[in-house]
Amino acid sequence: MAGHTRSNDAGQVSKTTTPSRSTFPRASTAAVWTLFVLGLGALALSIRTGTEWTVEGVVRIDGLTALMWVVVTFFSGIVHSYSRRYMAGDARIDGFFARVLAFTLVVMAMTAADHVALFAATWLAMGLLMAGLIGHERDWAQARAAAGVARRHFLASTGLLALGLTVLAWTTGATSITGILGNLGDVPASAALVAGGAIFLAAIVQSALFPFQTWLLSSMTAPTPASALMHAGFVNAGGVLLTRFAPLFADRTAAMSVIVAVGAVSALLGQALLLVQTDIKSELGASTLAQMGFMILQCGLGFFAAAITHLILHGFYKAYLFLSSGATVEQNAPGGHHDDSPDLVGVGVGLLTALGGGVLFALLTGKGTELNSGLVLTIVVVLTTLHATRDVLRRSTLPATVKLVGTPLIVLVAIGTYAATFNAITTLLADVPMTTEPTGLTVVHYAVVAAFAIAYAATTLGWHRKSRRLYVSLVNLSQPDPDTLLTTKEDYNDA
């Protein structure tokens, strides 16, 4: 930017980096994998016997808790194992592993917390630890700035959550989440509006939904393993929060419609921003915004179990993409030609695959067979399948015949896997209140379906490239905080 000067100290990696002889990384890794095994045991018991463990008013370990324990310890274990080589030689390696281990333990405590004070405290600790990971390379001014941006967002999220929990505790006379949800009938409409709005805002700040995406797009200073943990697990906390408090929203059509609208806008915006990114980590950040939008959209449709399914599958996918990002970096010449002309055969195959995916999903889950929000969920699956099929057909280097036959099979298997996982998680969360509560259709639902259809057409026809104003607008919306921008290749100080 003209007239704007700033230090290019991102090129100055700490000169104190020496191999650590500490045994802490190995011990931390072993501890997390041990927790994963124990989590698997708790999940198996929950599935087999439906057992719940409680300390009255303090903690409650149910199916959702056991499932999230397995998920978070698995991702943390992968990050731990990967980081032992990736972070080798970093002078602060012990601090990095200590934060990742503490983050894992705090998330486990948060998912089990029943007392509102414990829930809020672990929510705050989770955010502060992640901010510390974002600013791990404290010798970089940009990393310190990124940590500050994230920390301010997380403090705001915790403040909103605390406000919502305080209102609910005050009006119900209960200090546990279980007690609050059991006495929602005593909450006045105005108090429910304030509490629900605060909790919803806390969720979308944490999940980096529009207009709070800046902290996520500014977090690229984090070491790649920390980014994997953030995108695979941390941002999903918004979905867990809304699922825990589903009874506060599920029977209020207006509130659910707002959640649908916010989720849809964020999903569409994230997908649009993805189209104009020029580096792999920014692409993954925009992709996460889109996926978190889908997750919140599913909450708004009344399918909180689907949102949990989505966050798990997205976590696996995004952790893989971040940890393998170094192998996918390409050098592309600017100004390359993009062929946006439609391939009629490919379009036909995509349409048939998408319709087949929608029918398969409806048959396996029973969603989309009635005139309610389940129909919207199925339509979103169809449009997502259509987009995925188009991308695979365009990017694959396999022979045409193999692509046209193999792609539908791969996509349909993926849809079947998603549906089966959704059914399994729905069964597991049967005792968690209102995890599957489809709503009636409103004008918002029709508008969302229309917006997704238009967005698909725009992407297919390359409108973002044909309109300079649209392209520039998307680039501007995807800009991180200016103080967090790392040095460019041109001014990198290699001294």
Side-chain angles (χ1 to χ4, degrees), residues 373-391:
S373 58
L375 180 61
V376 179
L377 179 62
T378 302
I379 292 174
V380 170
V381 169
V382 169
L383 292 174
T384 303
T385 303
L386 191 61
H387 180 75
T389 305
R390 179 184 69 89
D391 276 358

Side-chain angles (χ1 to χ4, degrees), residues 20 53 149 161 195 212 233 247 279 290 387 429 488:
S20 172
W53 300 269
V149 170
L161 177 62
F212 305 110
D279 65 89
H387 180 75
L429 303 186
T488 62

